[in-house]
Amino acid sequence: MIDLYSWQTSNGRKVSIALVEMGLPYTVHPINIGTDDQFSDEFTALNPNQRIPAIVDSDGPDGESISVFESGAILIYLARKSGYFLPGDPREEYETLQWLMLQMGGIGPIFGQVHHFKRAAKEPVPYALERYGNECLRLYEVLNKRLVDNEFIAAGQYTIADMAIFPWVARYEWQDIDLAWFSNVQRWHENIAERPAVSRGMLVPPRP
Ligand SMILES: N[C@@H](CCC(=O)N[C@@H](CS)C(=O)NCC(=O)O)C(=O)O
């Protein structure tokens, strides 16, 4: 059994989408980041970086319990455990991992800054809005070009790279992005959003 420590955010949703897609049984433990649950001693023991998501799998690779934090590492862990959504062919595997890393190192951090400066900053910071807004647009263009001839992000199939990127693109309204500007991303977004496992995973943990 897998214990999932998460909240309904883009990084949390990547992992709940993956768990549902892979059909892995799990128990969700809400970590309300609005009330600072991520700083509790219990959660800090799981993730010293004090950010959701984290998982504990009582049946790790060696049969012993294992805990994993960082959503990208968790996605790789779950894909390897289930045998789904990370291709076994090495070329396809690296193609998937490079797009996953672009999400982890680029899309997530940049879109996160856009969300912060557009929605949460105590005062408008024009330079930050321009810098992160431009980089956000550039990343949408990278995705749009990638999806011209590709139904999915990597390896010609639905993978953990799609699961990682989807919840960030799903926040396009927070970024003041009109998906019609990026027609290939729009098509991809609609396609992924229609998956029943994605709809379910997006709602984990249920809001109080
Ligand atoms: N690189 C980390 C980022 C995790 C992250 O930033 N999580 C956010 C929610 S999306 C969080 O826990 N924020 C709480 C805080 O900032 O204190 C991952 O992908 O797991």
Side-chain angles (χ1 to χ4, degrees):
M1 176 60 85
I2 293 171
D3 288 291
L4 167 65
Y5 298 82
S6 193
W7 194 241
Q8 230 186 77
T9 70
S10 297
N11 286 318
R13 286 166 158 165
K14 295 178 208 172
V15 174
S16 41
I17 287 171
L19 284 163
V20 182
E21 289 280 16
M22 294 169 189
L24 292 168
Y26 68 94
T27 302
V28 64
H29 305 269
I31 302 295
N32 184 342
I33 61 172
T35 54
D36 286 349
D37 290 359
Q38 69 275 31
F39 301 114
S40 71
D41 291 345
E42 293 83 356
F43 186 73
T44 304
L46 294 178
N47 183 356
N49 192 37
Q50 302 177 312
R51 299 285 183 272
I52 65 95
I55 62 163
V56 176
D57 182 1
S58 59
D59 181 24
D62 53 2
E64 301 291 316
S65 178
I66 185 173
S67 65
V68 186
F69 61 86
E70 280 293 318
S71 57
I74 298 171
L75 289 176
I76 295 168
Y77 177 83
L78 296 176
R80 291 199 169 138
K81 182 181 176 77
S82 69
Y84 295 128
F85 306 117
L86 180 58
D89 171 77
R91 191 167 286 276
E92 292 182 346
E93 181 184 27
Y94 288 119
E95 190 176 313
T96 304
L97 291 177
Q98 69 190 0
W99 285 95
L100 175 64
M101 295 304 152
L102 174 61
Q103 188 289 308
M104 292 298 294
I107 294 170
I110 294 296
F111 288 21
Q113 293 302 326
V114 172
H115 295 176
H116 176 80
F117 284 105
K118 281 189 184 287
R119 298 172 54 89
K122 292 196 175 79
E123 59 197 49
V125 185
Y127 179 76
L129 284 165
E130 185 187 347
R131 177 175 169 82
Y132 294 121
N134 286 344
E135 182 62 2
C136 179
L137 283 168
R138 193 191 67 80
L139 287 164
Y140 267 96
E141 197 49 53
V142 171
L143 292 175
N144 205 44
K145 285 198 182 119
R146 173 65 183 172
L147 292 165
V148 170
D149 295 322
N150 293 292
E151 184 180 354
F152 299 108
I153 293 287
Q157 57 196 284
Y158 181 57
T159 68
I160 53 174
D162 298 285
M163 295 177 205
I165 295 170
F166 177 82
W168 286 98
V169 169
R171 286 289 198 213
Y172 62 90
E173 286 174 342
W174 283 17
Q175 301 144 15
D176 292 330
I177 294 284
D178 181 349
L179 282 188
W181 301 338
F182 304 100
S183 58
N184 304 310
V185 177
Q186 186 173 46
R187 184 202 68 234
W188 169 86
H189 174 266
E190 285 170 5
N191 182 14
I192 306 282
E194 278 173 7
R195 297 179 68 90
V198 171
S199 316
R200 281 174 53 204
M202 289 287 281
L203 299 176
V204 175
R207 285 196 199 282

